[in-house]
Amino acid sequence: MQRRTRPSASRRPSSPLRWLWWLAGLLIVSGIMLVLLAPTLVTGYIRSYLRKDDFHHKAEEMIAAKLGGRARLAPILWNDDTATLTDLSLETGRGWSVDAGGIRAALDFGAIRTGSWRIQNSGADDLTLRHTATAPGDDPAGESAAQIEAEAETESVPSFLRRYIPNKTEFSGFDVQRFYFEKNAWKIAETRLHLGEWSSGEKSMPAKLTGGTLQTPFQPPQQKEPLKLDLTQATLRLSREQLLLSNATLRWKQGAEATLRGSLKHDSGAWQAFMHATAVPLDEFLDPAWQQRLSGKIEGDLDVSGTRNAPPAWKADITLKNGALQGLPILEKLVTYTNTHRFSRLVLDLCSATLRPQGDALRIENIIVQSNGLLRIEGALTLQGRNVTGDLMVGVTPETLSSIPGASSRVFVETNPTGPPGLQWTRVRIAGTLDAPQEDLSSRLIGAAGMSLLLDSPGQVLNQGTELLKPVLGEDAAKLPGKVMEGAGGILENGLKTGTGILKQVLPVFPGK
């Protein structure tokens, strides 16, 4: 039986749709590969563009546009992903300038895949921030920063890859080995600056200063140069709106230390500061003559604030620690007249006051000067130039007054409800100049002593008068009060005049100078 052979099927012709499917699949795979490789392509374009001279010029233009001034960058040298510049110079339209040297920064290109510009290991060997006065109209005209950024982006990356360019910046910090700052008479020198981490969207950046010096515009009376302090550390926070100083520690000679905090608003120029100082040597603020007379160290608080182009408002609460007053002629006279040797070196157990400006004068309020067991002074003074006026309450112990006739019964007779107990008080008014101050206590003491010599118990007064005059005039002259009493029996007025005249010679307890 013959086997029938089945004719073989002829090959079907290739369909165009089949090739379209293959093409579509190829495009899809290519698209996926392109999406996966896009960050790599962007990174490649950026790596290449950053090394071109065109980027260097665009960077200068962009920085200048953002600052509203000028920018000059040294050629950028790349070592792998780390860029270095030998120097940089910037000027803003508001009078600020920046000069830096030895600048370095590393760009983490791997972070581009996650949508971030990540700058790390950045810093500079030295950086100077300086402010100078500017004339109106000095701001240079130029393209906007946004326009320059758009042009740089257009030239550096093809359009189909631009959506892969990161729109977030991460900054790991910036370290400056030697930082300098100058504004008016304020200067910071040779300090280390650290700028903390910052990311896009954050409104402020932390900063810290360590070491160096701070020069102020204030010059103590006996110093040849403005006050310069050692800067131990300062913690700040920087933002577009303000600079906030949360804590700073400053030191001066002889162990003086101050802590400072404050703020500065950039737009309005409003600023405020609060300082607490301890162990400030008083002799640095006194002329040589007073350095031998008054000693101690100052502790206190200073609260000061101001605005741009306006004098500051301030108030200081100060205390003199371990204070002592000695070597004054008045103290030696008090030793003689009161027979109280503690006056030769008056220890100031309490000495404090509040200082504040009052127009063109200086107001000294809440004065408290106390030597325990001896005297206390309370009140206020006003200094205008070299002129001084004041109103004081003076309290002394009864023992101090026992050797001065009439002082206890005719002068120290006022009350002071806020003063400590056990003292006798009187009001004293001050006027004149710092070189020759005048007070009304001396004349009242002399008048009271004269009245006592004439009107009080003769035996008691004569005993007081003899003891008072003996160390001043000698044994014989000490009998003068008795002669006054003998001559006063007839005419009281003449006796009063005679007694007062004698006392003016021997009892200048509180001289005018």
Side-chain angles (χ1 to χ4, degrees):
M1 183 174 179
Q2 188 176 4
R3 193 175 215 178
R4 183 178 295 179
T5 304
R6 179 181 297 178
S8 60
S10 61
R11 290 185 177 182
R12 299 178 182 176
S14 298
S15 171
L17 284 177
R18 191 172 185 180
W19 287 106
L20 289 176
W21 279 109
W22 276 102
L23 181 60
L26 180 61
L27 291 175
I28 292 173
V29 172
S30 300
I32 294 174
M33 293 297 296
L34 184 61
V35 170
L36 294 175
L37 294 175
T40 302
L41 295 175
V42 170
T43 300
Y45 274 106
I46 293 175
R47 282 179 186 271
S48 176
Y49 181 70
L50 292 179
R51 287 165 170 78
K52 294 180 179 179
D53 291 338
D54 186 59
F55 168 75
H56 179 269
H57 298 309
K58 283 296 181 182
E60 287 183 335
E61 294 176 3
M62 189 182 304
I63 294 173
K66 281 184 173 292
L67 297 177
R70 301 177 180 87
R72 185 190 64 79
L73 306 178
I76 303 173
L77 304 177
W78 286 90
N79 183 9
D80 293 331
D81 295 339
T82 300
T84 59
L85 289 83
T86 56
D87 60 87
L88 171 150
S89 178
L90 310 175
E91 294 181 10
T92 73
R94 296 186 176 183
W96 288 99
S97 65
V98 177
D99 294 289
I103 306 164
R104 58 199 171 274
L107 182 60
D108 183 2
F109 286 96
I112 295 177
R113 298 176 180 274
T114 62
S116 295
W117 297 109
R118 184 177 298 160
I119 303 172
Q120 55 193 14
N121 301 327
S122 60
D125 292 337
D126 55 80
L127 187 149
T128 299
L129 178 61
R130 183 182 292 109
H131 182 269
T132 56
T134 56
D138 277 357
D139 293 9
E143 297 176 276
S144 68
Q147 181 181 350
I148 294 175
E149 287 179 1
E151 292 176 357
E153 181 180 295
T154 300
E155 297 174 3
S156 60
V157 181
S159 58
F160 69 93
L161 291 178
R162 285 177 199 154
R163 64 190 182 94
Y164 297 102
I165 295 177
N167 54 12
K168 181 181 179 182
T169 302
E170 297 178 0
F171 184 71
S172 65
F174 192 86
D175 290 289
V176 180
Q177 299 301 314
R178 294 176 298 276
F179 175 67
Y180 300 84
F181 172 87
E182 294 183 17
K183 187 179 189 304
N184 300 329
W186 293 92
K187 294 181 180 180
I188 296 176
E190 292 288 346
T191 186
R192 292 174 61 92
L193 169 65
H194 171 73
L195 300 176
E197 296 182 358
W198 178 85
S199 299
S200 299
E202 296 183 4
K203 295 183 178 181
S204 62
M205 173 188 297
K208 186 174 183 179
L209 301 174
T210 306
T213 60
L214 169 64
Q215 180 175 306
T216 75
F218 310 111
Q219 184 170 339
Q222 300 307 310
Q223 298 294 312
K224 296 180 180 180
E225 298 178 350
L227 183 64
K228 182 181 289 186
L229 307 171
D230 293 327
L231 177 60
T232 303
Q233 63 83 29
T235 303
L236 310 96
R237 183 161 285 275
L238 310 173
S239 69
R240 292 181 178 273
E241 293 77 23
Q242 67 175 354
L243 181 150
L244 179 64
L245 175 64
S246 58
N247 181 52
T249 302
L250 307 167
R251 288 193 171 93
W252 198 36
K253 57 180 66 177
Q254 302 182 34
E257 182 176 286
T259 56
L260 179 69
R261 66 177 186 270
S263 64
L264 168 65
K265 295 186 181 299
H266 303 310
D267 292 338
S268 64
W271 60 274
Q272 60 179 359
F274 175 81
M275 182 177 70
H276 176 73
T278 59
V280 179
L282 179 63
D283 56 359
E284 297 291 340
F285 302 89
L286 302 176
D287 60 38
W290 275 97
Q291 288 178 3
Q292 305 300 320
R293 297 172 176 176
L294 184 61
S295 62
K297 293 191 174 182
I298 299 173
E299 178 177 327
D301 298 320
L302 174 64
D303 193 351
V304 58
S305 61
T307 57
R308 188 180 293 122
N309 301 324
W314 60 271
K315 185 186 76 168
D317 296 310
I318 62 173
T319 299
L320 183 64
K321 298 288 187 179
N322 301 319
L325 190 61
Q326 61 185 358
L328 290 178
I330 184 175
L331 295 180
E332 299 303 325
K333 292 179 181 179
L334 286 172
V335 172
T336 300
Y337 300 148
T338 66
N339 197 28
T340 304
H341 293 281
R342 287 180 57 189
F343 279 113
S344 61
R345 184 178 185 274
L346 192 62
V347 176
L348 306 179
D349 299 284
L350 291 177
C351 186
S352 62
T354 297
L355 286 70
R356 61 179 178 85
Q358 190 177 66
D360 58 351
L362 175 65
R363 181 70 173 169
I364 308 176
E365 301 174 316
N366 304 321
I367 296 174
I368 297 178
V369 178
Q370 178 173 309
S371 183
N372 292 342
L374 199 61
L375 64 82
R376 181 181 173 96
I377 300 173
E378 300 177 0
L381 296 171
T382 299
L383 300 179
Q384 190 162 22
R386 301 293 297 178
N387 297 321
V388 57
T389 58
D391 190 356
L392 305 173
M393 288 291 291
V394 177
V396 297
T397 59
E399 295 80 8
T400 304
L401 300 175
S402 60
S403 301
I404 306 176
S408 178
S409 59
R410 289 182 168 84
V411 179
F412 287 83
V413 294
E414 299 194 35
T415 60
N416 184 7
T418 61
L423 299 178
Q424 293 182 255
W425 295 88
T426 189
R427 185 175 297 278
V428 178
R429 289 177 172 80
I430 306 294
T433 66
L434 290 175
D435 301 320
Q438 304 294 323
E439 37 72 32
D440 64 348
L441 180 59
S442 299
S443 59
R444 288 190 287 127
L445 283 172
I446 292 173
M451 294 292 291
S452 293
L453 288 173
L454 295 175
L455 302 178
D456 290 347
S457 173
Q460 177 184 358
V461 173
L462 285 178
N463 289 335
Q464 286 182 305
T466 300
E467 294 301 318
L468 175 66
L469 299 176
K470 189 182 296 183
V472 181
L473 301 180
E475 194 74 33
D476 295 335
K479 300 177 182 179
L480 283 174
K483 296 181 180 180
V484 174
M485 291 297 296
E486 292 174 359
I491 305 175
L492 180 62
E493 181 179 357
N494 291 336
L496 177 60
K497 182 178 180 180
T498 303
T500 302
I502 294 174
L503 287 174
K504 283 184 178 180
Q505 300 176 35
V506 300
L507 194 61
V509 178
F510 291 91
K513 295 184 180 181

